[in-house]
Amino acid sequence: MAFANQFALTLELTRLVPPLKWATNKAGNAIMGHARNMRHSGSDIVVEEDLTKVFGMCRISNSLTSSFKTVVTKSASDTTLLEGIILQGGPGPTVARAFQDSSYFAMVVQISLLSWTFETSYLATAITEALRKRLEGAPLSSALPTSPDRQGILGVIRTCESQTSAFNWNMMLNAVSTTLGYEAHRAPIDFPQFVLRGLLDMFPMVQTLPSDRLIHIQIPVGENIESGASALVVWAHHLLDLVVLVRPRTWDGRLTKDIRFGGPELEQVFIEEVAADDEAFITLLDSQREHLLKIKPEPDREDGLIGSIRRIPARGWGNALLADAMSGFLAFRKRSQAVIKDLQTVTTAFAFIIANNLVKDDTGRVIIDEDAAKMRTPMTYNIDKDRLLQASRFLFDNPYISSGEIDRIAAEYSFTTLDKCLPQPSAFEAAARAHPLPKNSDSIIEDEWDRTCDHARELSIFLIALAHVVNLEDCEDLMFAGIAFGVMSEHPLAQQLGEWNGRDALRISDDAWLQAIAVPLLSHRRYVWNLPWDRTCLISDRGWSAWIPTFEASDPAYINAGSVRIGRGSPCRNGVWKTGIWDAAHGSLQFMADPRKVESCGQTTSLRCVEKVTLDTPYCGEGDEVFLVSVRMRLHLEPRPVQRVGYKELQRYLWWAQLSKRCSHRSCIPGNIKLTMGCATIAGFGNNLDNILERIIVYLTAHSVGARWLALATVPWLGVTGDSEAEAEAEVWRHILLRTSDCCFQCAIDQAAVQPGKWFVIL
């Protein structure tokens, strides 16, 4: 007998599948404990139970259950970020609960697959709409629950996604796509929302009556219309152990042979791709092929695709982006490995050229005259060539990228614009000539070479960012999102490169590399460029995080201000999970006293710290989705005032400082030096420094990590009454030199003295 609507099918399922009542069998305190833990992890126990009552009616295959639990359990990890905050990876409260309950597990596994395949916000919208539609036609007296809201569903999806990210669904998706004859970068993953709505009830119905129920999915396909066959097969066959028959159609509309997944018995799911102008529907049939329920897209509204997101291994991510970009070129209808290798070389050469022209942007110190700041000599910024080469080999998964070849191309491309005016690599030219093109072939090739240079410039920014990841060897399992090249165009460095002449200095800020890493790491999760980058310390998505180096409680001289660390897990504190860490908002530093002059020209001084500072337990608060943190610095004076500074602020202050160079002396030898003309030492911390005329001001902070950090945080804003009014207004006059342990006291002063301008030297 046919069902009048989907609610009637849902009602029939409740008769065939016993209702899930795990909550009623637990003690009240256990329920509250589960609820509290899930809320802290970003999920909701009520919404999880609602979704379990839908997805939990399915049975997951034994083989997948075993492998899934093994992989996810092994991914458990704890990494200390700050005192009280850890980076927790692997199973959290939701997944731990799922490992003890088969119905709960069925929900988590299916959400894990769907969140891997689809962008989470689109998926949440599709599930919300599907749950609402399936209850249409229900009488007011129905005992079935109302559907949960989108925000609650989104929280559950993100929780499952984060806690199960170690399980790589790509292996199944790629295997299915290959079997169906699709290229990996063109495998159909998107599928219509109405199909998802039907499957919520049809899958468990077919599992319950496997010999008497059949699902027929008919989806029109074309150049811009996808069937989602790859994702559907993985869901139906690999997860639910159903026999699936697919009748695929090529991109130009030709039918190919049927492909079966499963045993020889009669299929339980039939996926048929049809011509673009044919009808779309999903139908539940009985063994006599009688239609029990048919669902079609609504004619009065666009029932679109659920937006997919392609996961690509971080190692080799650059190859996938280049291949996707080239697939739209007229001159490259077929991908050529020789062309890809040429473009790897071009991109790496661009990165080398750009890296040689980078300078630190410290214009943030300016309050009044930003133009004056840009006129002064900028601080050079050096990137180790070997790290660039290592990053290139990781980005393109090519250990054979040659330093000599990169140097040759970089020399040929230097001192000019990085665009179509550059000579084309040999494989690029040969591949273009090998394809028949219209009469204006030269114009087409020139245009496509110009676009290729645009792509190489954007990708080179990411390559340089990877060179700043200090633990790249830990990123073998990291997955990035497949993005369009245009997303990186809003990066501040990309905007400069668009008009760069190949000779001028390129200014970069301290957060340039974390921003670049955020583009494929966060993808559609949030709009990357809307984040408050002046406060952002850590970003996290899909069970992976990237963060700045100042979380390390070490001396500032040992920290590379531009470096980034990446690790598995999400920030967690006392069982509360968040998606990021930001600086806590606070005002400028306020002191009860001001620094004072200790010694001046002709007097003897020593390498010492006059006023020590202790780094106390960090402050940690909570925002809606992020932790809010700051460093507590305790001065060893009565009444021991405590100053708070954000970790992102500390990175910025360290960025503004120049490190001393190594000297040939033994920096650890105790002894005194006599100050020469124009030098003075100071001690203490504050906002103003009176009666100082010396060009070199030395902060007596040696051997105290806390004092060196606090000096870095105060000297950019320290007003010196002896400076000229114009200098004080511009606030760009005092350079900062941070002494390192491999430089002696005298050489640190000399290195500042030989350079123009006025200086603070932090011992």
Side-chain angles (χ1 to χ4, degrees):
M1 181 180 67
F3 297 102
N5 49 41
Q6 189 168 1
F7 171 74
L9 173 60
T10 303
L11 196 60
E12 178 66 15
L13 269 175
T14 63
R15 299 190 182 99
L16 294 172
V17 182
L20 307 171
K21 297 181 179 180
W22 67 268
T24 61
N25 297 324
K26 303 294 182 180
N29 59 347
I31 296 175
M32 292 303 296
H34 283 308
R36 186 177 297 108
N37 292 337
M38 291 171 186
R39 178 68 61 87
H40 286 169
S41 69
S43 189
D44 186 289
I45 191 171
V46 176
V47 179
E48 287 191 4
E49 185 178 2
D50 287 341
L51 293 178
T52 299
K53 289 178 179 178
V54 178
F55 290 96
M57 290 187 290
C58 291
R59 298 185 305 276
I60 306 302
S61 75
N62 292 333
S63 59
L64 188 132
T65 296
S66 176
S67 60
F68 187 90
K69 288 183 177 181
T70 299
V71 170
V72 173
T73 300
K74 286 183 177 179
S75 69
S77 62
D78 290 334
T79 302
T80 300
L81 293 173
L82 296 170
E83 188 170 346
I85 301 180
I86 63 173
L87 198 68
Q88 184 166 330
T94 296
V95 173
R97 166 66 183 150
F99 284 178
Q100 305 300 320
D101 186 292
S102 60
S103 297
Y104 222 83
F105 180 76
M107 181 272 290
V108 167
V109 172
Q110 291 174 85
I111 293 294
S112 177
L113 168 65
L114 294 175
S115 62
W116 180 282
T117 309
F118 302 105
E119 202 283 316
T120 53
S121 61
Y122 297 151
L123 178 61
T125 299
I127 292 178
T128 304
E129 181 69 8
L131 295 181
R132 183 187 66 81
K133 293 290 293 182
R134 72 195 286 268
L135 293 181
E136 286 185 356
L140 295 177
S141 59
S142 171
L144 288 178
T146 57
S147 59
D149 64 89
R150 178 187 177 278
Q151 197 60 34
I153 292 174
L154 182 60
V156 175
I157 291 173
R158 288 177 174 172
T159 298
C160 294
E161 177 187 47
S162 173
Q163 296 178 17
T164 66
S165 63
F167 193 83
N168 190 337
W169 291 101
N170 270 11
M171 292 184 289
M172 295 181 187
L173 290 166
N174 292 342
V176 169
S177 296
T178 301
T179 302
L180 293 174
Y182 299 121
E183 295 181 43
H185 71 290
R186 300 197 68 181
I189 295 179
D190 294 355
F191 66 76
Q193 293 186 26
F194 79 92
V195 173
L196 173 67
R197 174 159 60 96
L199 292 177
L200 294 182
D201 289 312
M202 293 182 185
F203 271 158
M205 179 62 79
V206 171
Q207 278 194 320
T208 305
L209 302 171
S211 60
D212 194 44
R213 295 292 184 266
L214 167 69
I215 300 171
H216 180 196
I217 305 172
Q218 179 170 298
I219 305 179
V221 296
E223 185 176 356
N224 297 313
I225 308 174
E226 296 185 354
S227 67
S230 300
L232 286 171
V233 170
V234 172
W235 189 1
H237 177 63
H238 290 281
L239 262 71
L240 306 182
D241 252 350
L242 299 176
V243 178
V244 179
L245 181 68
V246 181
R247 182 166 295 163
R249 190 177 287 263
T250 62
W251 287 93
D252 57 5
R254 292 180 294 106
L255 280 173
T256 61
K257 66 176 182 179
D258 293 352
I259 300 174
R260 178 179 295 273
F261 296 86
E265 61 269 19
L266 188 66
E267 64 273 6
Q268 296 151 321
V269 180
F270 176 36
I271 303 170
E272 183 179 15
E273 297 180 348
V274 295
D277 54 354
D278 284 347
E279 182 184 28
F281 61 78
I282 178 171
T283 302
L284 180 68
L285 306 96
D286 62 16
S287 57
Q288 305 302 315
R289 295 300 191 264
E290 178 185 350
H291 287 203
L292 302 179
L293 179 67
K294 187 174 186 178
I295 298 175
K296 298 187 295 184
E298 296 184 29
D300 59 339
R301 63 187 296 272
E302 183 179 353
D303 203 339
L305 300 175
I306 308 172
S308 65
I309 181 169
R310 198 175 303 279
R311 306 296 181 88
I312 302 169
R315 177 177 287 279
W317 183 72
N319 294 334
L321 262 63
L322 290 174
D324 281 353
M326 289 175 55
S327 65
F329 286 2
L330 291 175
F332 303 100
R333 291 186 176 88
K334 293 184 178 179
R335 288 188 295 166
S336 164
Q337 289 304 312
V339 172
I340 293 292
K341 288 181 179 179
D342 264 0
L343 297 186
Q344 293 173 359
T345 303
V346 169
T347 300
T348 309
F350 279 15
F352 274 54
I353 294 168
I354 293 167
N356 287 334
N357 290 273
L358 296 177
V359 297
K360 290 184 177 181
D361 184 2
D362 62 352
T363 54
R365 294 178 60 184
V366 182
I367 292 179
I368 296 177
D369 192 355
E370 185 172 340
D371 292 335
K374 292 182 178 179
M375 294 296 293
R376 56 192 279 266
T377 304
M379 289 183 287
T380 58
Y381 185 70
N382 299 315
I383 304 175
D384 184 71
K385 181 178 176 180
D386 289 338
R387 291 202 63 85
L388 283 172
L389 202 60
Q390 177 190 10
S392 174
R393 290 168 176 168
F394 181 90
L395 179 63
F396 298 116
D397 193 20
N398 182 359
Y400 304 108
I401 292 178
S402 165
S403 176
E405 179 69 6
I406 300 301
D407 288 338
R408 184 186 67 79
I409 297 295
E412 186 176 0
Y413 286 176
S414 292
F415 308 112
T416 186
T417 56
L418 302 180
D419 57 20
K420 62 184 179 183
C421 297
L422 298 173
Q424 297 176 15
S426 57
F428 191 96
E429 284 188 319
R433 288 193 300 267
H435 290 87
L437 293 172
K439 293 181 179 179
N440 58 337
S441 59
D442 290 342
S443 175
I444 291 174
I445 294 174
E446 181 180 287
D447 177 66
E448 293 184 350
W449 171 237
D450 191 33
R451 288 161 57 193
T452 300
C453 289
D454 290 344
H455 298 336
R457 285 200 308 269
E458 292 183 26
L459 197 53
S460 66
I461 297 172
F462 187 78
L463 192 158
I464 298 174
L466 279 183
H468 288 79
V469 177
V470 297
N471 61 328
L472 201 57
E473 67 279 359
D474 297 332
C475 301
E476 294 295 333
D477 295 330
L478 175 62
M479 304 295 288
F480 281 145
I483 62 170
F485 271 108
V487 178
M488 190 68 82
S489 64
E490 295 192 50
H491 191 281
L493 182 53
Q495 294 179 348
Q496 294 181 69
L497 290 173
E499 300 178 355
W500 189 48
N501 60 12
R503 295 179 297 276
D504 294 342
L506 297 165
R507 292 181 176 271
I508 51 166
S509 60
D510 58 291
D511 49 27
W513 313 127
L514 184 61
Q515 288 183 19
I517 296 293
V519 172
L521 185 65
L522 298 181
S523 183
H524 301 286
R525 172 66 182 273
R526 56 170 67 89
Y527 196 51
V528 170
W529 311 115
N530 283 348
L531 285 175
W533 287 106
D534 60 333
R535 297 176 59 195
T536 300
C537 305
L538 178 146
I539 54 176
S540 183
D541 200 15
R542 302 184 186 90
W544 285 84
S545 299
W547 63 96
I548 61 177
T550 47
F551 285 161
E552 303 169 15
S554 59
D555 189 275
Y558 298 144
I559 295 176
N560 179 352
S563 64
V564 177
R565 188 173 288 274
I566 298 176
R568 185 188 294 280
S570 304
C572 178
R573 175 176 179 261
N574 297 330
V576 178
W577 299 48
K578 298 290 184 179
T579 61
I581 300 178
W582 296 355
D583 275 357
H586 48 72
S588 58
L589 295 174
Q590 298 295 326
F591 297 90
M592 299 177 65
D594 286 320
R596 62 195 181 281
K597 183 189 290 188
V598 179
E599 298 120 353
S600 57
C601 177
Q603 294 181 304
T604 299
T605 186
S606 61
L607 191 67
R608 69 194 191 279
C609 180
V610 173
E611 183 175 337
K612 292 185 178 180
V613 178
T614 302
L615 299 180
D616 278 4
T617 302
Y619 164 81
C620 182
E622 291 186 26
D624 291 339
E625 294 188 351
V626 298
F627 291 116
L628 304 173
V629 298
S630 59
V631 187
R632 283 191 176 109
M633 299 183 180
R634 185 176 296 277
L635 283 72
H636 287 205
L637 292 175
E638 295 297 336
R640 294 191 176 183
V642 174
Q643 300 291 339
R644 288 184 183 179
V645 185
Y647 287 92
K648 181 61 174 66
E649 285 184 284
L650 289 182
Q651 183 193 34
R652 183 161 57 250
Y653 298 145
L654 182 58
W655 184 260
W656 292 345
Q658 175 181 316
L659 297 181
S660 65
K661 295 183 175 68
R662 182 174 184 172
C663 72
S664 58
H665 310 112
R666 292 177 60 191
S667 60
C668 59
I669 294 179
N672 301 331
I673 67 169
K674 182 174 288 188
L675 295 176
T676 57
M677 183 179 296
C679 293
T681 62
I682 63 171
F685 302 92
N687 303 109
N688 296 289
L689 185 59
D690 295 330
N691 302 317
I692 293 288
L693 299 176
E694 285 82 358
R695 189 170 76 89
I696 309 295
I697 299 176
V698 181
Y699 234 126
L700 297 174
T701 57
H703 314 307
S704 173
V705 172
R708 282 161 62 82
W709 275 118
L710 188 54
L712 278 171
T714 55
V715 294
W717 319 113
L718 188 60
V720 183
T721 56
D723 293 322
S724 70
E725 181 178 350
E727 290 171 333
E729 285 184 351
E731 296 203 12
V732 298
W733 49 273
R734 288 279 177 188
H735 303 269
I736 303 167
L737 180 74
L738 179 66
R739 174 187 161 272
T740 57
S741 60
D742 58 1
C743 179
C744 71
F745 189 177
Q746 185 64 64
C747 286
I749 294 177
D750 292 345
Q751 288 178 25
V754 298
Q755 300 184 69
K758 297 185 176 183
W759 287 81
F760 280 112
V761 177
I762 300 176
L763 293 183

